[in-house]
């Protein structure tokens, strides 16, 4: 039996594990390297805040992920394969580490967010 996601520390565990995989991935790793470069110390707390907000309804995250990814898409055109790999890595990482309602919510929201972002980027929507 795997633990449940219960707090920010668990969110950090999940997000750190996911990004370790994503950074090494042949398909999406180069995108992260190009965009984030050596600024991981700045990027990771933003991701912790984002996912903690999704799972625990905190108000730490104040960014606009759609705007950020629109800028990214202008720089590096994102393809369906990029979103598919991102989702696969996120779901696999979550399943490896956690179970329970918050893990299920994290996976559902990851698929939903990636899908909506992909659609909006393809259609030029906000």
């Amino acid at each position: 039996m795997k633990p449940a996601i219960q707090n920010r520390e668990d969110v950090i565990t999940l997000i750190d594990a996911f990004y370790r995989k994503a950074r090494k991935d042949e398909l999406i790793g180069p995108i992260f390297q190009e965009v984030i470069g050596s600024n991981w110390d700045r990027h990771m707390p933003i991701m912790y805040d984002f996912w903690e907000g999704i799972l625990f309804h905190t108000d730490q995250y104040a960014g606009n992920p759609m705007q950020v990814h629109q800028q990214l898409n202008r720089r590096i055109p994102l393809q369906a394969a990029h979103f598919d790999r991102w989702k696969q890595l996120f779901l696999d990482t979550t399943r490896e580490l956690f179970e329970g309602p918050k893990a299920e919510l994290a996976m559902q929201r990851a698929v939903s967010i990636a899908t909506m972002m992909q659609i909006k980027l393809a259609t030029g929507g906000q």
Side-chain angles (χ1 to χ4, degrees):
M1 188 159 171
K2 296 174 190 143
I5 299 173
Q6 297 180 14
N7 51 41
R8 183 175 177 89
E9 289 75 27
D10 293 335
V11 171
I12 291 170
T13 297
L14 172 61
I15 299 308
D16 282 351
F18 164 73
Y19 276 103
R20 275 193 301 275
K21 291 180 182 186
R23 290 173 73 175
K24 290 188 237 175
D25 186 79
E26 289 179 10
L27 182 62
I28 65 173
I31 296 171
F32 284 110
Q33 183 57 39
E34 171 73 20
V35 174
I36 298 170
S38 62
N39 294 318
W40 286 96
D41 289 344
R42 183 173 165 267
H43 181 71
M44 295 307 289
I46 295 168
M47 294 297 92
Y48 304 150
D49 290 347
F50 178 78
W51 284 101
E52 184 180 22
I54 285 176
L55 298 176
F56 296 102
H57 307 289
T58 59
D59 291 330
Q60 306 265 31
Y61 180 77
N64 182 335
M66 194 65 234
Q67 183 180 26
V68 170
H69 286 84
Q70 285 172 327
Q71 293 169 353
L72 167 60
N73 191 53
R74 285 192 286 276
R75 186 169 164 190
I76 302 169
L78 299 173
Q79 307 296 318
H82 297 130
F83 288 96
D84 290 344
R85 182 67 55 84
W86 186 95
K87 287 186 285 190
Q88 175 193 1
L89 290 173
F90 194 93
L91 297 178
D92 289 350
T93 304
T94 304
R95 286 184 189 115
E96 288 168 11
L97 297 174
F98 295 103
E99 60 185 30
K102 295 293 186 188
E104 291 299 322
L105 178 60
M107 291 187 289
Q108 290 167 1
R109 292 302 302 272
V111 170
S112 171
I113 290 165
T115 301
M116 287 307 300
M117 199 168 283
Q118 184 178 357
I119 291 167
K120 288 182 178 185
L121 289 175
T123 62
Q126 296 288 325

